Amino acid sequence: MKIEFVASADAAEVLVVLVHEGRTFAGNGQTVDAATSGALTKAMTNSRFNGGSNSTLIVAAPAGVDAGTIVLTGAGAADKFDDLALEAAAGAAYHAVKLSGATSITIDVSYLSADQAARAAFAARLASYRFLKYRTTLKPEKTPSVETIKVVTADVNAAEAAWTTYAAVAEAVEFSRDLVAEPANVLYPEEYARRVKALETLGLEVEVLGEKELEKLGFRTLLAVGQGSVRDSQVVIMKWNGGAKDEQPIAFVGKGVCFDTGGISLKPPEGMEEMKWDMGGSAAVAGLMHALAGRKAKVNAVGVIGLVENMPDGNATRPGDVVESLSGQTIEILNTDAEGRLVLADCLWYTQERFKPKFMLDLATLTGAMIISLGLEYAGVFSNSDELADNFLAAGPKVGENAWRMPIPAIYDRHIDSPIADVKNMGNGRAGGSITAALFLQRFTNGTPWAHIDIAPTAWVKDSRNPTVPDGAVGWGVRTLDRMVKDSYES
Ligand code: BES
Ligand code: MN
Ligand code: ZN
């Protein structure tokens, strides 16, 4: 998608005019309406369009203006108009005309700030994301025609300057979505590692650990998950050094199960194909690192992602197997489908030991139980640090990603005690399944301030209500993490 900031809406192919609830024009919509001799007002009063958010009304070939088409776009209540309402409007405007045959749309937000102009472009670009690389026979009328987003602003230079940051985040979200959307035959651990390694061009330092190195280091628990797969397991470490030389880093850890069959504790076939996105946590971490490097964030950050494929096989881990984790704690693997926590156990331990970070924050599509608890609109937040949890929870609502704090009460900790090892990889039955998973992870944090985000509900969306998040891979977490870093950890 091409993005341009322009000083006037002249000769727009498609002109987007924002309208607030109650059919009141925002900005200079009134002037456009007058130029059309009131055709816009007439179109509104003859329709149900009221300016409500996520609604549009197309006025074709209006006389009196040089725009080919005008899209009246609902911006919601004027007194509730904020950055997210602007994003929703820009996204909805894109969707209204994306298949129309028009090649460019012009969004007039000249009455808003330069930052908001850049944000409108950002939202339209996120809305335009589609994963079409394997659609070779897509009919022309089903193929998006819009190639350029023009945003009208009173300060083109300032909008362009603001855009560089927004563009970095948009690219990062797209990178993350692409990883999540890729099928597992294409995106297996080594291919994933190659794609992350390529981010070195952004200025990231990227280390890839293969199975030989992981064995030497003692990642036995992570390797136990991957040992049923013909694909080699990988751990990828990304470093962004944008802060002071001696500044302690912040650390992000991600579950990267490229495909989760459940292993010997095999999942039922219905819906198993969804488990290609069981690497969504790692994609959020890789996306965040992409964003930090892209916008040259003033912070030292590390990202550690554990990449494996969980397969049943003659060499696969069996239920009841006991392995010694990198931490030295022994783990009884009762259910090979509770594999994410095994991958994270070694990655968390390694991260705190090697980097001594200010905090560790992990993201994982960890438990189906999280979907039972919170439904599909909220991720769960588990933390031993109120400050860290609060910083995360403050960032989400600013970028339209919902999360909710969950408890990790010590009284449930005994549910993961094992009679044969130090810990077992599931609780007693299904009660509190997301909590016992978090308590398991906590045993591998060594007291470091830590937060665990269970994104099983939110990594993939089938019925999106958010115009900037098309159905499919969400790239969930990239925006929240980037915002959290910006608001709470940059110098
Ligand atoms: N990747 C799944 C969790 C999941 C399920 C994510 C559905 C998204 C949608 C995870 O590895 C898993 O299988 N967890 C088990 C844990 C259980 C065996 C203790 C689960 O949730 O059933
Ligand atoms: Mn599983
Ligand atoms: Zn899994």
Side-chain angles (χ1 to χ4, degrees):
M1 185 65 62
K2 233 176 117 214
I3 305 290
E4 285 174 20
F5 296 95
V6 294
S8 95
D10 288 352
E13 189 182 0
V14 173
L15 177 63
V16 176
V17 173
L18 268 52
V19 180
H20 287 299
E21 234 163 68
R23 297 177 175 151
T24 52
F25 289 108
N28 57 1
Q30 196 73 59
T31 317
V32 184
D33 188 41
T36 64
S37 311
L40 304 183
T41 297
K42 199 167 171 192
M44 287 197 285
T45 42
N46 287 332
S47 82
R48 287 178 169 172
F49 177 82
N50 183 41
S53 68
N54 218 344
S55 69
T56 53
L57 178 63
I58 294 180
V59 182
V65 291
D66 57 3
T69 303
I70 290 177
V71 183
L72 299 174
T73 301
D79 58 350
K80 293 205 181 84
F81 187 72
D82 58 8
D83 284 346
L84 284 184
L86 171 63
E87 287 187 21
Y94 170 78
H95 290 303
V97 295
K98 65 187 174 189
L99 298 175
S100 67
T103 58
S104 75
I105 68 177
T106 300
I107 306 174
D108 187 354
V109 288
S110 49
Y111 64 103
L112 296 175
S113 70
D115 182 76
Q116 286 171 308
R119 184 179 288 273
F122 173 72
R125 175 155 157 189
L126 289 183
S128 75
Y129 176 83
R130 291 191 66 184
F131 190 74
L132 293 176
K133 64 192 279 201
Y134 304 119
R135 297 292 301 269
T136 66
T137 58
L138 197 63
K139 297 205 170 62
E141 67 270 24
K142 291 271 169 78
T143 307
S145 56
V146 174
E147 289 161 1
T148 308
I149 309 284
K150 297 184 191 179
V151 180
V152 187
T153 172
D155 191 340
V156 169
N157 288 333
E160 278 170 353
W163 173 245
T164 57
T165 300
Y166 281 103
V169 179
E171 251 171 61
V173 172
E174 289 160 357
F175 178 72
S176 187
R177 286 178 180 174
D178 281 347
L179 291 171
V180 172
E182 280 288 9
N185 62 321
V186 175
L187 196 81
Y188 48 92
E190 282 176 316
E191 168 62 15
Y192 195 151
R194 276 193 286 276
R195 293 193 188 187
V196 176
K197 183 81 180 164
L199 300 184
E200 285 193 325
T201 54
L202 293 171
L204 287 174
E205 270 173 51
V206 181
E207 266 173 63
V208 178
L209 306 176
E211 287 199 349
K212 278 219 176 68
E213 290 133 306
L214 293 171
E215 266 160 36
K216 231 187 264 157
L217 288 164
F219 279 70
R220 287 170 294 267
T221 310
L222 180 144
L223 290 168
V225 176
Q227 76 188 33
S229 170
V230 297
R231 305 293 195 183
D232 266 14
S233 301
Q234 312 267 290
V235 168
V236 182
I237 298 147
M238 297 154 267
K239 286 187 250 173
W240 170 249
N241 302 315
K245 248 212 160 72
D246 51 353
E247 186 188 291
Q248 209 184 355
I250 56 179
F252 300 88
V253 178
K255 168 180 173 180
V257 176
C258 293
F259 197 80
D260 180 14
T261 65
I264 298 299
S265 312
L266 195 62
K267 286 183 182 296
E270 287 83 10
M272 198 201 276
E273 70 283 354
E274 295 200 13
M275 286 300 109
K276 74 170 186 181
W277 50 263
D278 207 16
M279 31 58 68
S282 64
V285 172
L288 168 70
M289 299 306 290
H290 192 306
L292 296 181
R295 66 177 183 79
K296 303 203 174 0
K298 292 190 170 45
V299 70
N300 293 336
V302 296
V304 177
I305 56 178
L307 308 179
V308 301
E309 186 179 55
N310 188 20
M311 299 291 276
D313 177 75
N315 189 46
T317 292
R318 294 152 289 256
D321 282 3
V322 174
V323 295
E324 188 193 346
S325 67
L326 178 63
S327 74
Q329 299 171 83
T330 54
I331 302 172
E332 181 186 16
I333 300 178
L334 277 181
N335 189 320
T336 65
D337 196 12
E339 84 297 338
R341 65 197 75 182
L342 300 173
V343 171
L344 290 172
D346 281 348
C347 289
L348 286 166
W349 190 266
Y350 180 78
T351 300
Q352 59 83 27
E353 194 167 65
R354 175 167 169 194
F355 297 107
K356 307 273 183 286
K358 278 186 197 145
F359 68 77
M360 295 192 285
L361 187 148
D362 78 72
L363 299 101
T365 48
L366 203 63
T367 62
M370 200 72 251
I371 299 172
I372 307 300
S373 313
L374 293 179
L376 291 169
E377 298 287 349
Y378 280 77
V381 178
F382 303 79
S383 184
N384 62 8
S385 159
D386 289 344
E387 187 192 333
L388 177 57
D390 287 348
N391 288 341
F392 185 87
L393 289 164
K398 295 178 188 163
V399 300
E401 294 181 337
N402 302 319
W404 196 259
R405 183 112 182 237
M406 298 285 291
I408 38 172
I411 187 134
Y412 296 155
D413 206 48
R414 64 194 162 83
H415 293 199
I416 52 170
D417 287 338
S418 159
I420 187 177
D422 299 330
V423 59
K424 60 188 167 84
N425 79 329
M426 61 177 292
N428 301 327
R430 292 158 63 193
S434 306
I435 298 173
T436 48
L439 286 165
F440 179 95
L441 297 179
Q442 184 171 239
R443 293 199 187 192
F444 299 88
T445 57
N446 203 14
T448 304
W450 154 81
H452 155 61
I453 320 296
D454 192 335
I455 64 168
T458 55
W460 188 269
V461 62
K462 284 181 175 159
D463 179 27
S464 177
R465 303 278 127 180
N466 181 348
T468 61
V469 182
D471 283 350
V474 175
W476 200 97
V478 176
R479 292 191 64 188
T480 299
L481 294 174
D482 178 69
R483 186 65 187 251
M484 177 183 88
V485 171
K486 174 172 171 271
D487 288 352
S488 303
Y489 297 100
E490 276 187 72
S491 46

